[in-house]
């Protein structure tokens, strides 16, 4: 364990590692979901520490929308090799081609919501009983309702009113045939905790998180990176701005923020003074007031 960690970060790290080891002990076929974002990178780093010098005892899985940033995919492949992890990739495009989902059309179309079907199909394909993810309770009000071990029914759906108590760090992984769990080891972390941990552990990240010049489109207050799948509509124009991303996902819904934060220290200072959550720049969360909770009930992570 890194001796430079503060007592607060050391406690959060220990809690997350304990949960990861509980998953390995209680489930035969767990999987760790990996998006290429900072939280999933921290999760994979924690898993690496939890079982070192042995390899991570469960595979990592990425649900690829086909509309990821190139930097995300490049870093993903580099990172898997560095931590010696087994990676499974499943593609939303395959779900579209097979008729499992219907792609949205028009200039505001996004594949972000289509990930749910691809994810549920992949969990069924490999018979995964538990899927670990990097969601945190401070991100969004629906995620604040989650337990560490979040029960899902046989259809992969979530009932926020039917959550199991978790007293004295006892986690109940009992389930019936076909049911599963989503597990959130970093539930109690904040965005600032993540960045302070990244600094102390010297964890590498995609350069999207740091200030850089990029062509963007201002779409209803969200700065989307201009690309083949995000293009100007109506009065919108492509502008060059100095930005960075606080969260990374599908290009069609992941907004940037104007920022000159070029180092981790700069980002920590910026996050400490921020008055908008990191998901404030996510266009998918703005589709309806309860967008995240609706998707989670359907099986979204």
């Amino acid at each position: 364990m890194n001796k430079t960690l503060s007592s607060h970060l050391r406690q959060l790290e220990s809690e997350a590692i304990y949960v990861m080891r509980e998953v390995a002990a209680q489930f035969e076929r767990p999987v760790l979901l990996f998006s290429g974002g900072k939280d999933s990178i921290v999760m994979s780093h924690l898993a690496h520490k939890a079982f070192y010098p042995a390899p991570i005892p469960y595979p990592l899985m990425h649900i690829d929308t086909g509309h990821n940033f190139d930097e995300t995919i490049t870093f993903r492949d580099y990172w898997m090799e560095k931590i010696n992890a087994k990676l499974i990739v499943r593609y939303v495009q395959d779900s579209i081609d097979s008729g499992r989902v219907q792609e949205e059309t028009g200039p505001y179309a996004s594949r972000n919501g289509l990930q749910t079907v691809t994810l549920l199909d992949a969990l069924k394909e490999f018979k995964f009983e538990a899927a670990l993810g990097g969601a945190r309770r401070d991100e969004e009000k629906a995620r604040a309702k989650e337990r560490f071990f979040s029960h899902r029914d046989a259809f992969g759906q979530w009932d926020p009113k039917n959550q199991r108590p978790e007293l004295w760090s006892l986690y109940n992984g009992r389930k019936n045939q076909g049911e599963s769990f989503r597990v959130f080891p970093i539930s109690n972390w904040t965005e600032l905790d993540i960045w302070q941990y990244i600094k102390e552990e010297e964890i590498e990240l995609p350069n999207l998180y740091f200030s850089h010049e990029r062509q963007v489109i201002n779409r209803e207050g969200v700065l989307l990176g201009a690309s083949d799948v995000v293009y100007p509509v109506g009065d919108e124009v492509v502008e060059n701005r100095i930005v960075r991303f606080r969260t990374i996902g599908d290009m069609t819904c992941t907004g940037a923020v104007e920022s000159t934060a070029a180092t981790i220290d700069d980002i920590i200072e910026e996050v400490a003074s921020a008055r908008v959550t990191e998901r404030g720049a996510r266009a998918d969360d703005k589709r309806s007031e309860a967008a995240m909770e609706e998707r989670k009930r359907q099986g979204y992570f």
Side-chain angles (χ1 to χ4, degrees):
M1 185 175 289
N2 193 327
K3 293 182 180 180
T4 65
L5 285 180
S6 68
S7 60
H8 172 64
L9 291 178
R10 192 183 301 277
Q11 181 178 358
L12 289 173
E13 180 190 65
S14 296
E15 179 181 63
I17 287 176
Y18 173 76
V19 172
M20 289 180 167
R21 289 173 176 167
E22 277 293 295
V23 169
Q26 292 195 40
F27 300 99
E28 291 184 15
R29 291 181 296 277
V31 64
L32 195 160
L33 297 189
F34 186 86
S35 68
K38 67 183 185 308
D39 296 327
S40 66
I41 293 169
V42 166
M43 283 276 292
S44 61
H45 174 84
L46 287 164
H48 184 64
K49 291 189 74 170
F51 302 102
Y52 186 82
I56 301 172
Y58 29 78
L60 279 66
M61 182 165 69
H62 180 213
I63 304 300
D64 188 345
T65 67
H67 294 166
N68 295 104
F69 293 96
D70 290 340
E71 296 94 328
T72 303
I73 302 301
T74 299
F75 184 88
R76 178 199 71 187
D77 295 341
Y78 158 77
W79 186 249
M80 292 302 109
E81 184 174 349
K82 179 172 182 178
I83 65 173
N84 190 30
K86 177 183 177 182
L87 177 68
I88 298 169
V89 182
R90 287 297 178 266
Y91 301 92
V92 170
Q93 184 63 54
D94 290 340
S95 298
I96 295 170
D97 293 343
S98 65
R100 291 283 294 142
V101 295
Q102 183 174 353
E103 186 162 21
E104 296 180 7
T105 59
Y108 301 103
S110 175
R111 290 184 175 182
N112 196 57
L114 306 184
Q115 294 180 85
T116 299
V117 172
T118 309
L119 170 61
L120 292 176
D121 286 349
L123 295 176
K124 183 177 180 180
E125 175 188 354
F126 293 98
K127 299 181 180 179
F128 288 131
E129 305 165 297
L132 298 94
R136 308 186 322 269
R137 291 184 180 130
D138 75 318
E139 288 181 277
E140 200 272 342
K141 57 187 178 183
R143 286 181 166 169
K145 300 178 182 180
E146 293 277 16
R147 299 286 197 268
F148 279 93
F149 275 37
S150 183
H151 177 264
R152 295 298 197 268
D153 65 19
F155 300 99
Q157 296 176 332
W158 173 64
D159 181 359
K161 296 181 180 180
N162 187 27
Q163 295 283 294
R164 297 174 178 179
E166 293 180 338
L167 306 175
W168 307 292
S169 299
L170 297 175
Y171 304 115
N172 183 357
R174 294 181 63 183
K175 63 180 184 61
N176 296 318
Q177 183 69 29
E179 296 175 344
S180 61
F181 282 83
R182 306 292 171 81
V183 182
F184 304 102
I186 60 171
S187 290
N188 288 333
W189 298 49
T190 66
E191 182 185 10
L192 187 58
D193 293 330
I194 291 290
W195 281 107
Q196 290 174 334
Y197 187 74
I198 288 169
K199 176 185 177 181
E200 296 300 330
E201 292 287 286
E202 300 180 347
I203 300 172
E204 297 178 71
L205 294 173
N207 57 19
L208 290 166
Y209 280 111
F210 302 94
S211 178
H212 60 284
E213 185 174 353
R214 180 175 291 267
Q215 290 189 324
V216 299
I217 296 168
N218 188 334
R219 180 161 295 166
E220 299 179 359
V222 178
L223 299 179
L224 298 176
S227 67
D228 292 341
V229 294
V230 179
Y231 47 86
V233 179
D235 296 333
E236 295 175 347
V237 296
V238 176
E239 308 173 68
N240 284 324
R241 295 203 193 182
I242 304 298
V243 301
R244 74 176 191 86
F245 292 87
R246 289 177 70 184
T247 179
I248 293 177
D250 189 287
M251 289 189 293
T252 60
C253 61
T254 303
V257 294
E258 290 192 273
S259 172
T260 57
T263 68
I264 291 180
D265 284 331
D266 293 340
I267 292 173
I268 289 174
E269 183 178 349
E270 183 179 272
V271 170
S273 61
R275 292 296 178 266
V276 177
T277 68
E278 60 195 296
R279 292 195 69 91
R282 290 294 293 258
D284 52 328
D285 287 351
K286 301 177 186 294
R287 291 196 170 196
S288 76
E289 195 154 319
M292 175 62 79
E293 183 156 335
E294 290 170 4
R295 294 202 305 276
K296 287 178 72 64
R297 286 178 182 269
Q298 295 166 4
Y300 183 80
F301 215 81

